[in-house]
């Protein structure tokens, strides 16, 4: 949406498996007056075949859809014009992971690399960062409190709902995994990549 707002002649396609995520995206596009320039597709990003190539492809916090960082560079990267930009947001180990962090994430140490390792992987795949934003601690906290807080609020506002207790438990479990596990261990970077 930011990209569309910056480029008044631009059009965008958004792809997600979740009808709820797409519904929210459609609402946000309407609120921002961008709906006529955004087409939403409810489908697997791996099998999404666009009509043409794109000046910009974004995959932020969703590399699992393409089987990881390398798969995203390859599969999402295929949709990018020769001079276009690929923007990928991915996790990395800020510090070597503790056993608590690994248990919280259900991860193995080599499921992520460090930041330099991600850059090296991008370059091996033919992409190089022309910029990157590393999310700071306040941004991570905001993301996690929003994640946990929205579920908690919903559960508290809907005490009679059959999913209420389970939702509260899910929020608590996630909060514990974050606070006792991976907080300040798992980092997040958003790369702006161009082809080498
Ligand atoms: C953590 S969210 C990130 C959403 C968004 N990129 C953002 O930054 O707010 C991950 C999203 O990926 C979607 N997703 C997961 N697997 C997918 C797939 N194979 N194809 C398309 N979307 C997928 C989920 O439905 C979810 O909306």
């Amino acid at each position: 949406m930011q990209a569309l707002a910056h480029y008044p002649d631009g059009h965008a396609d958004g792809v997600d498996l979740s009808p709820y995520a797409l519904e929210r995206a459609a609402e946000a596009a309407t609120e921002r007056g961008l709906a006529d320039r955004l087409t939403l597709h409810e489908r697997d990003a791996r099998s999404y075949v666009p009509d043409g190539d794109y000046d910009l492809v974004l995959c932020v916090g969703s590399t699992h859809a393409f089987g990881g960082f390398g798969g995203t560079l390859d599969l999402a990267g295929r949709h990018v014009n020769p001079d276009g930009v690929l923007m990928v947001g991915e996790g990395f180990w800020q510090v070597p992971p503790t056993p608590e962090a690994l248990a919280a994430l259900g991860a193995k140490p080599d499921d992520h690399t460090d930041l330099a390792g991600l850059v090296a992987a991008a370059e091996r795949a033919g992409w190089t960062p022309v910029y990157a934003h590393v999310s700071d601690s306040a941004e991570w906290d905001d993301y996690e409190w929003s994640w946990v807080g929205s579920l908690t609020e919903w559960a508290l506002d809907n005490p009679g709902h059959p999913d209420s207790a389970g939702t509260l438990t899910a929020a608590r479990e996630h909060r514990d995994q974050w606070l006792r596990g991976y907080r300040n261990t798992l980092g997040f970077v958003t790369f702006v990549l161009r082809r080498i």
Side-chain angles (χ1 to χ4, degrees), residues 34-93:
L34 301 170
D36 57 339
R37 296 193 288 122
L38 177 66
T39 309
L40 296 169
H41 308 263
E42 185 182 332
R43 59 179 304 164
D44 191 326
R46 269 193 221 222
S47 59
Y48 173 69
V49 182
D51 289 337
D53 288 341
Y54 291 84
D55 300 314
L56 170 66
V57 172
L58 302 102
C59 179
V60 178
S62 311
T63 54
H64 51 288
F66 296 108
F69 187 62
T72 301
L73 297 174
D74 181 19
L75 296 168
R78 278 184 203 171
H79 302 309
V80 181
N81 282 337
D83 297 323
V85 167
L86 175 61
M87 202 175 201
V88 183
E90 176 67 319
F92 67 93
W93 296 131

Side-chain angles (χ1 to χ4, degrees), residues 127-147:
W127 295 90
T128 197
V130 292
Y131 189 67
H133 174 80
V134 176
S135 298
D136 64 22
S137 203
E139 288 170 312
W140 253 121
D141 282 3
D142 180 59
Y143 169 80
E144 296 288 3
W145 287 124
S146 301
W147 198 116

Side-chain angles (χ1 to χ4, degrees), residues 90-171:
E90 176 67 319
F92 67 93
W93 296 131
Q94 237 169 274
V95 292
T98 57
E100 292 78 14
L102 292 171
L105 294 163
K108 301 187 292 303
D110 59 4
D111 283 351
H112 297 286
T113 175
D114 60 8
L115 184 56
L118 277 183
V119 172
E123 294 214 319
R124 279 197 301 276
W127 295 90
T128 197
V130 292
Y131 189 67
H133 174 80
V134 176
S135 298
D136 64 22
S137 203
E139 288 170 312
W140 253 121
D141 282 3
D142 180 59
Y143 169 80
E144 296 288 3
W145 287 124
S146 301
W147 198 116
V148 166
S150 57
L151 287 187
T152 304
E153 273 206 307
W154 182 87
L156 296 177
D157 288 342
N158 295 277
H161 194 285
D163 291 337
S164 181
T167 300
L168 205 51
T169 302

